[in-house]
Amino acid sequence: MDTDRMASSQSSRMASSQSSRMASLQSSRMASPQSSRMASPQSSRMASPQSSRMASPQSSRMASPQSSRMASPQSSRMASPQSSRMASPQSSRMASPQSSRMASPQSSRHSSSVSSSPMSRMHSLQVDSVQRWMEDLRHMTEVECMCVLQAKAIGVEEDAQGELIVATGDHVARDNLQTLLRRALVVSTELGKMFQRLEKGRWQRVHSTAVRANCHVRSLVHEYSAARNTPSEMQKYEKSLLEKCMELTTITERCLHTEDEFFLKSMREAINEILTDVSDSFSHMIDMALANEIQILIRQIESSDSVYTISSAISNLLSLTQDGLQLCRIIAKEGAVVALFKICRQDCFSDLYAHALRAVASICCVEEGINQLEKVDGILCLADILTDENSAEAARAEAAAVVAQITSPHHTSTQHLGSFLESMEDIVTALIKLCASASCGEVFLLASAALANITFFDSMACEILLQLNTIHILLQACKDRQRVDTPYSKDQVVTILANLSVLEQSAPEVLHEKGVERLLQLLGEKPSSSSPSEGAACERVQQKAAVTLARLSRDPDVAQTAIQLQAVPRLIELCRSPAERNNSDSVLVACLAALRRLAAGCPDSIEAADHQQLIKPRLVDSFLLCSNMEESFV
């Protein structure tokens, strides 16, 4: 099984869907600000989507183990002891004929109201108490029972030390990390529930949730300490956290025995403060525990000579990068980028280049990762791999993915671009060659995405691309369904064309390659499914195609060709029909701009009614008119 998993992790990148890959390239990777401090320390890791690049698959990966491994064992362990304690006395007191009446409390109470015998009333009380116990059981737990059971693994040999170290060999680190993340999610969920219930003043629920959170925290600390030699600093946080959890349990219990509103109001403030401290302390402790586990993986990468061991460690790091930006920052801080580039500089590990570079690309979604890449001259290493014709296509594709990541316009810091400019010509040349020779859609997607990002921040890159016959290569690729077969790839192509169209010398090349016809086809791009990401990609394709057409139409020959190819009716249709542009305002603005550019060169190409509504008014007035139109207006 482990061999299969390693083989799967090595090949999964090239087999993954383009929509998942494009979600990574298009995502801003900016975590949503937490709505409050109650946001759990694991919320950024567990939530998603991030766009992240792997966010969608990861959520399904984490959710299923969480529900199956955490919820089920707990419920089974809680239910069994309590049922054995409680059910047994009930069964001894109740004779079998009464069991039928217990199963139907409503009929039991009805018979009690009809008969006034003492035995009937006694039976009614017994049924009511059982029903009440069953209702209360959902919200109550026994601290002693929970603590004892949570500290023991089920189905493990007697000499095993706990759930965190059930696995052996190369899988210990991975199992530790995944179990740690699952347990942290449980605690985070309980703390979040406490904040909500505290706000509503549901004191019974607040206390029961505090008890559960306390049990989970103690269990997690106990098991992790048994599995690892925790650093002294982390031990201090553990001790402080356990004390605060106990204090939280004690103070919430006091609120159950009073109805004094003034007292409860003051206690609510105190509990909120303690709960906030618990959340912060737990978050910091989990970060230190994760850092400790990540260090183990990095040491495996740096010290091992086994391709299998290194590949397994890289896979574990890669899976962690899918759990959110905070984990990526911890991974970068612990030196993972440095260790991965050491692998990429050794010929004996050439088979691991693609795997290592994929992990680097994921880590570089945060500034800390890019800074680490800059410190180890990672850009030079990327240029060497991209320009080496002997490098495998998979390795060059992953190097292109790293370039796309570090040149993303979403990054606020551009300090790393200084060294990139020194190697830009070699990198751009290698990327356009990779686009021309790509064997599949994903390779083309990664190479074209890197080129699209590069054209945003330096005009010199556009001049280099024109000299490399880029327009011909891209337009030919659009005819090849093996390379360009999704809106995501078309989005990259039209982005490059839009940025190249700023240069005047691009217009003749576009005309020569029949690029105007291709732009009109892109104006009609529609999603093939109901996927929101695909719909958004189609909107970007339409918008950028209109922008490119508007820029190129400065050349009279391009404008005349566009009019002959019926560009005006299509642009008017996009303006007037919201459904044609998927109700996108950005597409509407781009189409209005293209129409006005064509009308400026050829006024007779637009009818009087369209000119009166779409050309003559101010752009903002035409926009408001079209954005409020109904579909039936067309």
Side-chain angles (χ1 to χ4, degrees):
M1 181 185 297
D2 296 333
T3 305
D4 295 340
R5 291 174 68 178
M6 185 200 74
S8 174
S9 64
Q10 287 176 328
S11 61
S12 61
R13 182 67 176 278
M14 299 308 297
S16 62
S17 66
Q18 285 198 6
S19 60
S20 298
R21 196 58 179 271
M22 205 55 234
S24 165
L25 296 170
Q26 295 298 337
S27 171
S28 64
R29 296 188 172 277
M30 293 188 178
S32 305
Q34 294 177 339
S35 58
S36 67
R37 295 189 66 183
M38 84 177 203
S40 69
Q42 295 302 318
S43 60
S44 63
R45 305 185 187 107
M46 299 305 188
S48 117
Q50 70 301 108
S51 114
S52 139
R53 170 174 173 138
M54 310 292 181
S56 296
Q58 182 59 14
S59 59
S60 61
R61 176 180 65 79
M62 288 301 302
S64 178
Q66 168 66 22
S67 57
S68 63
R69 192 162 185 181
M70 293 304 305
S72 298
Q74 179 177 339
S75 58
S76 62
R77 285 180 279 184
M78 284 176 56
S80 298
Q82 290 180 342
S83 58
S84 62
R85 296 181 189 182
M86 299 298 298
S88 184
Q90 292 286 348
S91 59
S92 64
R93 287 195 298 266
M94 294 192 177
S96 57
Q98 292 175 339
S99 60
S100 61
R101 283 180 287 176
M102 282 180 59
S104 178
Q106 300 258 354
S107 60
S108 172
R109 285 192 291 269
H110 175 71
S111 62
S112 176
S113 63
V114 174
S115 174
S116 59
S117 65
M119 290 300 295
S120 298
R121 288 194 296 270
M122 181 181 298
H123 175 65
S124 177
L125 290 174
Q126 289 175 340
V127 172
D128 289 343
S129 64
V130 172
Q131 185 69 24
R132 178 61 183 271
W133 170 75
M134 293 177 67
E135 293 175 355
D136 292 345
L137 184 62
R138 294 179 299 171
H139 313 303
M140 299 177 62
T141 57
E142 295 183 41
V143 178
E144 180 182 358
C145 173
M146 288 288 291
C147 287
V148 172
L149 288 178
Q150 287 290 338
K152 295 180 180 179
I154 295 178
V156 184
E157 297 298 332
E158 292 182 358
D159 57 348
Q161 300 181 41
E163 183 180 356
L164 285 177
I165 56 171
V166 171
T168 58
D170 294 334
H171 306 288
V172 172
R174 180 190 60 214
D175 292 343
N176 281 354
L177 284 165
Q178 299 304 328
T179 304
L180 183 63
L181 290 172
R182 287 197 299 269
R183 299 297 294 275
L185 177 61
V186 172
V187 175
S188 302
T189 302
E190 296 295 344
L191 295 177
K193 290 179 181 178
M194 280 196 67
F195 275 109
Q196 297 173 1
R197 291 166 179 174
L198 181 64
E199 185 70 21
K200 297 178 181 179
R202 302 171 68 180
W203 296 107
Q204 180 68 43
R205 295 290 187 90
V206 169
H207 176 62
S208 62
T209 308
V211 171
R212 287 197 300 271
N214 183 28
C215 293
H216 285 305
V217 170
R218 289 181 179 279
S219 173
L220 190 153
V221 170
H222 171 77
E223 293 183 5
Y224 188 80
S225 299
R228 296 288 187 212
N229 293 324
T230 54
S232 57
E233 183 181 0
M234 185 175 171
Q235 291 177 4
K236 295 179 181 178
Y237 269 92
E238 290 177 353
K239 182 179 179 181
S240 174
L241 178 62
L242 294 177
E243 291 175 352
K244 291 176 181 177
C245 287
M246 183 55 69
E247 181 183 0
L248 189 62
T249 303
T250 303
I251 196 172
T252 54
E253 186 177 11
R254 292 175 58 189
C255 298
L256 298 178
H257 308 297
T258 182
E259 296 182 358
D260 187 341
E261 291 296 330
F262 179 79
F263 175 78
L264 291 176
K265 181 178 180 181
S266 62
M267 295 302 289
R268 179 184 283 111
E269 296 175 356
I271 293 173
N272 188 74
E273 183 177 349
I274 297 173
L275 187 55
T276 301
D277 290 341
V278 169
S279 298
D280 293 342
S281 298
F282 180 74
S283 175
H284 197 73
M285 188 199 74
I286 291 298
D287 285 347
M288 287 191 292
L290 290 171
N292 192 38
E293 296 298 322
I294 290 167
Q295 289 171 6
I296 296 173
L297 294 176
I298 294 174
R299 283 196 295 269
Q300 290 179 0
I301 295 173
E302 293 177 331
S303 60
S304 178
D305 295 328
S306 168
V307 173
Y308 176 85
T309 301
I310 296 174
S311 177
S312 178
I314 293 174
S315 296
N316 292 333
L317 279 179
L318 185 58
S319 67
L320 284 178
T321 61
Q322 303 171 32
D323 289 322
L325 299 181
Q326 179 61 17
L327 261 177
C328 290
R329 294 188 181 96
I330 296 174
I331 293 171
K333 182 180 177 181
E334 297 302 326
V337 174
V338 178
L340 291 169
F341 269 109
K342 286 181 180 178
I343 297 297
C344 294
R345 288 189 168 99
Q346 300 181 54
D347 294 338
C348 59
F349 294 129
S350 58
D351 292 340
L352 295 176
Y353 285 0
H355 203 34
L357 289 171
R358 185 181 182 187
V360 170
S362 296
I363 299 170
C364 287
C365 68
V366 294
E367 300 293 338
E368 292 83 352
I370 297 176
N371 294 336
Q372 291 294 318
L373 180 145
E374 177 75 4
K375 290 180 180 179
V376 297
D377 291 329
I379 292 176
L380 291 177
C381 182
L382 295 174
D384 291 339
I385 294 174
L386 283 168
T387 56
D388 185 0
E389 295 181 355
N390 295 323
S391 294
E393 183 185 61
R396 286 182 287 145
E398 298 300 340
V402 178
V403 173
Q405 189 69 275
I406 65 176
T407 56
S408 172
H410 301 122
H411 288 303
T412 56
S413 173
T414 57
Q415 297 176 356
H416 60 281
L417 299 181
S419 62
F420 178 82
L421 293 175
E422 299 174 3
S423 305
M424 186 175 68
E425 185 171 356
D426 292 337
I427 292 176
V428 168
T429 302
L431 289 172
I432 195 61
K433 288 182 179 179
L434 187 59
C435 286
S437 63
S439 63
C440 64
E442 185 173 5
V443 174
F444 181 87
L445 173 65
L446 296 174
S448 59
L451 285 173
N453 286 349
I454 292 173
T455 59
F456 273 112
F457 68 84
D458 195 276
S459 59
M460 185 176 69
C462 296
E463 296 174 359
I464 295 172
L465 286 172
L466 279 179
Q467 296 172 5
L468 295 172
N469 203 22
T470 299
I471 292 177
H472 170 75
I473 293 173
L474 295 180
L475 292 177
Q476 288 299 315
C478 288
K479 300 176 183 179
D480 183 3
R481 294 285 296 175
Q482 188 173 359
R483 287 183 289 170
V484 182
D485 59 346
T486 66
Y488 308 108
S489 298
K490 294 175 184 177
D491 182 18
Q492 307 310 314
V493 170
V494 75
T495 298
I496 299 171
L497 293 176
N499 290 336
L500 292 180
S501 64
V502 175
L503 304 176
E504 293 182 1
Q505 56 267 39
S506 64
E509 289 196 37
V510 172
L511 279 176
H512 182 264
E513 298 294 337
K514 297 184 178 180
V516 177
E517 290 92 326
R518 177 60 58 181
L519 290 174
L520 293 181
Q521 291 177 12
L522 294 176
L523 282 175
E525 188 70 19
K526 293 183 179 180
S528 59
S529 68
S530 58
S531 169
S533 61
E534 186 176 349
C538 290
E539 291 176 22
R540 293 193 298 271
V541 170
Q542 289 181 326
Q543 176 200 7
K544 293 170 185 177
V547 169
T548 306
L549 187 61
R551 291 175 177 176
L552 292 172
S553 295
R554 293 173 303 184
D555 186 300
D557 293 334
V558 174
Q560 190 62 40
T561 302
I563 291 171
Q564 292 174 357
L565 294 172
Q566 301 298 309
V568 171
R570 176 56 183 162
L571 291 171
I572 292 175
E573 183 182 21
L574 286 168
C575 290
R576 292 190 180 279
S577 176
E580 286 295 314
R581 61 176 189 270
N582 198 24
N583 295 296
S584 171
D585 290 340
S586 60
V587 175
L588 173 58
V589 172
C591 290
L592 285 171
L595 268 177
R596 290 169 181 241
R597 178 75 70 177
L598 291 173
C602 305
D604 297 336
S605 61
I606 299 180
E607 296 180 0
D610 295 324
H611 189 280
Q612 189 70 20
Q613 292 182 340
L614 304 178
I615 307 300
K616 185 176 179 180
R618 296 181 306 165
L619 180 62
V620 64
D621 293 333
S622 295
F623 169 79
L624 293 174
L625 175 66
C626 294
S627 61
N628 292 325
M629 281 184 174
E630 297 292 337
E631 257 184 85
S632 58
F633 184 87
V634 177

